[in-house]
Amino acid sequence: MAEPLSNAHKRWILAATVLGSSLTFIDGSALGVALPSIQSDLGAGPAAVQWVSNAYLLTLGALVLIGGAAGDRFGRRRVFLIGVGLFTLASIACGLSPTVQVLICARAVQGVGAALLTPGALAVIGATFPPQERGKAFGTWAGAAAILGMVGPLVGGWLADHADWRAIFWINVPLAAATVALTLRFVPESRDDQAKGLDALGALLAVAGLGAATWSLTAAPDLGWSHPWIIAGLVGGVVLLVGFVLAEAREAHPMMPLGLFRSRVFSGVNGLTLMLYFALGGAMFFLPFELIRVHGWSATAAGSAMLPFAAVMGLFSGAAGRLADRFGARLSLSLGPAMAGVGLVLLALMPPDAGYVSGPLVGMTVMAVGMTLAVGPLTAAVMGAVPEGHTGVASGVNNAVARIAGLLAIALLGLLLSAVFVSVLDGPDGRTVLGQVMEGSRTDAVAISAFHQAFRAVMLACAGCALLAALIGLATAPKRVQSPA
């Protein structure tokens, strides 16, 4: 029988998982405000800059479930280290990228690394800490995520303004080195002896189907909806995703057990997740472009606009969880998304000359309060809706739904942005002008006004999705979160 680990040893293990996870926390939050600089530097069009985010979200969302299963089967420490190594090598490739195409490919590989290290970090914590200590350990990990999420936009904005956006990726190298050193020194190996099989076919079909559909939606404004490649991509994506569902129904060890969706609560809360994180992903992607291109802010100032969101989430998540315990999950999962929707409406109504207080501060704060009310009870409701042996898989499915929601948001809301911009500008070269505005080479009042109106339409669409999430929560969320059956 293994000797129990000391508290000091467990703290070092927790430090290793936090450091490893910080690779994705900092990279993800910092990159958003640096995207306008990346677009200008690499001469990327609107579709290409969307893929800088989409490539990462695609591989992460499609593979995060199989990443967790790989850790259970082959060793959680081993898979965590492989994820850290792959993410770091891809970060170096991102930092050296001479073209946006190379950057997109490297971002896709980063997503694969994140799909291994993110569930790996949580699995290491679960395997290390006894049940009575896991809540505190996971809370510490989540608190660190909020703090790093707060720092990320400021770091990304400052680097984009005063140094080079490539430095965002170079930061990952020393963090990864420290993570590897701590993991090799302190983290014991663990695995699930009952774990069998990896759903390789399901993973392949998920990546291919989501990739084909997302590429078609992103490229359609440039090529036209009747273009043979667009039609082929959409049809092929649908066929592959149907094949994914059929494969999961027949797979002995599926990455997404379809039987979980027989639960009304599980299906409803995942639908809520899809709508809510669609709204959040779209807002966080397009807001920096509005602040930098329309309001004329620096990237650093745009990063500061994200601070209320991270601060509220980091400081009040625990209190929001206690409120849900006292008054019920249904209240939190309906009121929270509704408040997020109100915050998004306030962001949509920002005038082009708004300052920090009259601009993003109020909207971001209200949206943050809404998300804080919803996130904790959402996870608890998902895990409480399934048998105890499936809580890990249920949490993983919900995490994948959230990632895929962000992927779909950037693609579909990009279509809306383009359509509204072109209709307002009323010219044959509207798509070209949109690219020029987003990269900063077109600054005339007419084009900037058209972009502002298109941004407003995007934010209102996000608000509509958040309000739909509130209705789903009201209809399907449990009054009280139950312990796993």
Side-chain angles (χ1 to χ4, degrees):
M1 184 174 179
E3 183 178 342
L5 299 174
S6 67
N7 289 333
H9 195 137
K10 285 186 284 191
R11 284 194 292 270
W12 281 113
I13 293 173
L14 187 58
T17 62
V18 167
L19 268 178
S21 301
S22 71
L23 297 171
T24 61
F25 297 151
I26 294 177
D27 186 270
S29 60
L31 191 65
V33 294
L35 281 174
S37 295
I38 293 173
Q39 184 176 16
S40 300
D41 188 38
L42 297 181
V49 78
Q50 288 176 45
W51 271 103
V52 174
S53 290
N54 281 348
Y56 176 83
L57 292 170
L58 171 64
T59 51
L60 173 56
L63 298 177
V64 68
L65 289 176
I66 201 169
D72 289 342
R73 182 175 181 186
F74 299 113
R76 298 176 180 112
R77 184 179 82 156
R78 176 184 298 173
V79 171
F80 176 68
L81 286 171
I82 291 172
V84 171
L86 189 59
F87 192 95
T88 307
L89 291 174
S91 297
I92 294 171
C94 288
L96 295 174
S97 297
T99 66
V100 70
Q101 290 80 12
V102 175
L103 178 60
I104 289 169
C105 292
R107 288 282 289 162
V109 178
Q110 268 194 322
V112 178
L116 297 176
L117 77 86
T118 300
L122 296 174
V124 164
I125 294 173
T128 300
F129 290 83
Q132 65 272 19
E133 297 178 13
R134 285 177 194 160
K136 183 179 179 180
F138 282 126
T140 302
W141 182 87
I147 293 171
L148 292 167
M150 188 186 309
V151 171
L154 290 176
V155 171
W158 189 89
L159 290 173
D161 284 335
H162 302 288
D164 188 343
W165 58 265
R166 298 174 187 273
I168 293 170
F169 299 105
W170 294 115
I171 291 172
N172 293 333
V173 177
L175 288 174
T179 300
V180 170
L182 287 176
T183 302
L184 291 175
R185 172 67 178 83
F186 293 104
V187 178
E189 185 60 281
S190 63
R191 56 173 50 85
D192 182 357
D193 293 333
Q194 305 300 316
K196 297 179 181 178
L198 289 178
D199 186 8
L201 177 60
L204 179 63
L205 290 171
V207 170
L210 287 170
T214 304
W215 175 84
S216 300
L217 293 172
T218 306
D222 287 326
L223 298 180
W225 289 99
S226 60
H227 193 283
W229 282 109
I230 299 299
I231 296 173
L234 289 172
V235 173
V238 171
V239 169
L240 288 166
L241 291 174
V242 170
F244 167 73
V245 173
L246 295 175
E248 296 305 279
R250 298 178 181 181
E251 171 65 38
H253 304 284
M255 58 188 285
M256 189 180 76
L258 299 181
L260 296 179
F261 290 93
R262 295 192 186 102
S263 165
R264 178 172 173 269
V265 172
F266 183 81
S267 298
V269 175
N270 275 291
L272 185 159
T273 300
L274 183 68
M275 291 294 100
L276 186 59
Y277 279 86
F278 183 100
L280 178 66
M284 292 303 191
F285 181 85
F286 290 104
L287 180 60
F289 284 97
E290 166 76 4
L291 296 176
I292 293 170
R293 300 304 184 215
V294 175
H295 296 247
W297 291 16
S298 67
T300 305
S304 71
M306 311 297 171
L307 284 177
F309 188 88
V312 171
M313 288 283 290
L315 294 174
F316 299 108
S317 291
R322 290 191 292 273
L323 282 175
D325 290 340
R326 181 174 180 181
F327 297 106
R330 183 175 297 172
L331 179 63
S332 294
L333 292 178
S334 53
L335 179 61
M339 288 190 67
V342 171
L344 288 162
V345 171
L346 293 174
L347 290 175
L349 297 178
M350 287 191 304
D353 57 350
Y356 185 78
V357 175
S358 60
L361 177 61
V362 176
M364 288 294 289
T365 302
V366 173
M367 184 174 70
V369 171
M371 289 296 299
T372 302
L373 285 173
V375 169
L378 187 154
T379 303
V382 165
M383 298 179 72
V386 300
E388 185 173 0
H390 291 85
T391 54
V393 174
S395 178
V397 169
N398 189 248
N399 187 284
V401 168
R403 306 290 185 172
I404 291 168
L407 171 70
L408 294 175
I410 295 171
L412 293 174
L413 293 174
L415 286 175
L416 177 61
L417 183 84
S418 177
V420 175
F421 183 90
V422 170
S423 68
V424 172
L425 198 65
D426 194 24
D429 57 347
R431 181 70 178 172
T432 301
V433 176
L434 174 60
Q436 293 169 347
V437 172
M438 292 184 71
E439 70 182 21
S441 63
R442 184 77 175 260
T443 58
D444 59 277
V446 173
I448 295 299
S449 176
F451 185 87
H452 178 66
Q453 292 182 60
F455 168 79
R456 178 168 291 181
V458 167
M459 288 298 103
L460 290 175
C462 290
C465 289
L467 294 174
L468 179 58
L471 293 175
I472 295 173
L474 187 63
T476 65
K479 290 183 179 180
R480 298 281 176 182
V481 174
Q482 304 296 322
S483 299

